[in-house]
Amino acid sequence: MKKILLFGAMCVLAACSGVPSNINDEKVFFAFDSAKISDEARSNLESQALYMKKHPDKNVVLEGHCDERGSTEYNLALGALRAGNAAHVLIAEGIEPERIKTISYGKERPQYPGTGEEVWAKNRNATTKVVDAE
């Protein structure tokens, strides 16, 4: 009887562990003109790290995105900072750096069409793309 209870408790703990079933297209969002990782973004990235630990056969590409304001050059640099800062959180959580690539799309590939603060806020992100390990 004790073994059954222990097994059941382990199953409950595993289900509540916060390991997402999929992190492809997960986004962490940034404030205007910032690459600072918010508490909410950090929590999301920590969950992504748990997924990566559970799936060592998967790597990620972190895409840095910006809203349409500012120059192309500025936004490419800001997008790179956003993706890089997201990568640093994953690395701090124990993910091997060689499993993470970063790319900046700046404002060149908006994920949400339109203009205005609501759309701009959605486009200020780092998006995770899952790829098979090579």
Side-chain angles (χ1 to χ4, degrees), residues 65-91:
H65 296 274
C66 299
D67 64 39
E68 65 186 358
R69 297 171 290 177
S71 71
T72 298
E73 295 80 10
Y74 178 83
N75 281 310
L76 284 171
L78 182 57
L81 282 172
R82 289 174 174 169
N85 287 350
H88 284 287
V89 173
L90 295 178
I91 293 165

Side-chain angles (χ1 to χ4, degrees), residues 3-15:
K3 288 181 183 177
I4 293 172
L5 290 175
L6 180 60
F7 177 74
M10 289 183 347
C11 289
V12 169
L13 286 174

Side-chain angles (χ1 to χ4, degrees), residues 20-26 47-49 51-52 60 128-130:
S21 61
N22 185 2
I23 62 170
N24 194 52
D25 285 325
E26 275 291 312
S47 291
Q48 291 185 41
Y51 172 91
M52 292 186 72
V60 294
T128 301
K129 297 293 186 177
V130 177

Side-chain angles (χ1 to χ4, degrees), residues 21-102:
S21 61
N22 185 2
I23 62 170
N24 194 52
D25 285 325
E26 275 291 312
K27 293 173 179 29
V28 294
F29 296 94
F30 297 88
F32 173 69
D33 198 28
S34 176
K36 182 180 180 208
I37 301 290
S38 67
D39 291 341
E40 185 177 341
R42 182 172 306 282
S43 178
N44 182 310
L45 290 163
E46 288 168 352
S47 291
Q48 291 185 41
L50 290 173
Y51 172 91
M52 292 186 72
K53 288 175 183 176
K54 188 175 177 179
H55 299 277
D57 60 324
K58 302 294 183 188
N59 293 342
V60 294
V61 177
L62 298 172
E63 301 175 344
H65 296 274
C66 299
D67 64 39
E68 65 186 358
R69 297 171 290 177
S71 71
T72 298
E73 295 80 10
Y74 178 83
N75 281 310
L76 284 171
L78 182 57
L81 282 172
R82 289 174 174 169
N85 287 350
H88 284 287
V89 173
L90 295 178
I91 293 165
E93 290 297 314
I95 304 305
E96 302 85 352
E98 56 273 6
R99 294 181 60 198
I100 305 165
K101 293 195 183 337
T102 63

